[in-house]
């Protein structure tokens, strides 16, 4: 069967990471989390004290930074990580999940020049197909010709509650109200920015998983992917 490029976009807490990882596992595809790259870069900027509104310094930083995504170790997996993230060789898997890193990522991601650097990396990483990549602009900018595009969404309260539970499991003492505010503020910025805003691609399938679990959502996407694989095989595309 031909191997697809599957783009999964959606707001924070829509279940993208868990769903994308499970879809990749079921199809034996590679899973790539583009948000982890923005988070890792933002973490480096925070550590170096680079102002989050300085586009040219952030662009330079992006060009001299090495971000690697690997399969999670059993320890990281037990702590809920979907992949291991290395920033210039150092393991930052846990650190990039803090709310400060999420907010900073959303600021850094608003700049065209920063995005160009990371988008080029993402395109290289997914070039061979057989990938499930998740983010905000995968179906619109990174892989506009992806064979399957999903826009994953859920009610804001549900998305905040999922994030809150993840934080609570890690021992972070944030209230549900704090997490709700963080998620809503970040979504607003990601949707309203001028460059590559979070928007549903016109040819993306909208999946609202407010009342669905990870497994159910992943299996629905796998069914859509297998249908696409069969269509392409019928059309004569080699595997
Ligand atoms: O998916 P995430 O929550 O880990 O992403 C963190 C931030 O990175 C998100 O608020 C916006 C940004 N991002 C982006 O602009 N484009 C992507 N493809 C992925 C993430």
């Amino acid at each position: 069967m031909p191997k697809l490029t599957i783009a999964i976009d959606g707001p924070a807490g829509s279940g993208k990471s868990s769903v994308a990882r499970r879809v990749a596992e079921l199809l034996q595809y590679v899973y790539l989390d583009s948000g982890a790259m923005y988070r890792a870069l933002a973490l480096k900027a925070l550590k170096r004290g680079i102002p989050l509104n300085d586009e040219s310094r952030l662009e330079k930083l992006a060009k001299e930074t090495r971000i690697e995504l690997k399969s999670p170790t059993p320890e990281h997996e037990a702590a809920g990580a979907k992949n291991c993230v290395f920033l210039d060789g150092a393991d930052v898997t846990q650190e990039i999940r803090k709310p400060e890193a999420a907010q900073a990522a959303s600021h850094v991601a608003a700049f065209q020049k920063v995005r160009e650097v990371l988008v080029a990396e993402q395109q290289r990483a997914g070039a061979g197909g057989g990938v499930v990549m998740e983010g905000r602009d995968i179906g619109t900018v990174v892989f506009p010709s992806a064979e399957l595009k999903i826009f994953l969404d859920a009610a804001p309260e549900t998305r905040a509650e999922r994030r809150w539970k993840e934080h609570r499991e890690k021992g972070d003492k944030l209230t549900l109200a704090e997490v709700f505010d963080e998620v809503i503020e970040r979504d607003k910025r990601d949707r309203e920015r001028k460059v590559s805003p979070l928007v549903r691609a016109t040819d993306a399938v909208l999946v609202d998983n407010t009342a669905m679990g990870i497994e159910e959502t992943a299996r629905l996407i796998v069914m859509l992917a297998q249908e696409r694989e069969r269509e392409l095989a019928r059309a004569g595309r080699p595997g």
Side-chain angles (χ1 to χ4, degrees), residues 16 34-35 38-39 97 105-106 109 115 135-138 186 190 193:
K16 292 188 306 296
S34 65
Y38 290 96
R39 285 172 182 258
R97 296 295 155 198
S106 166
R115 300 196 71 87
R136 303 291 186 291
D137 62 337
I138 309 305
R186 194 148 60 92
D190 295 342
R193 69 181 177 218

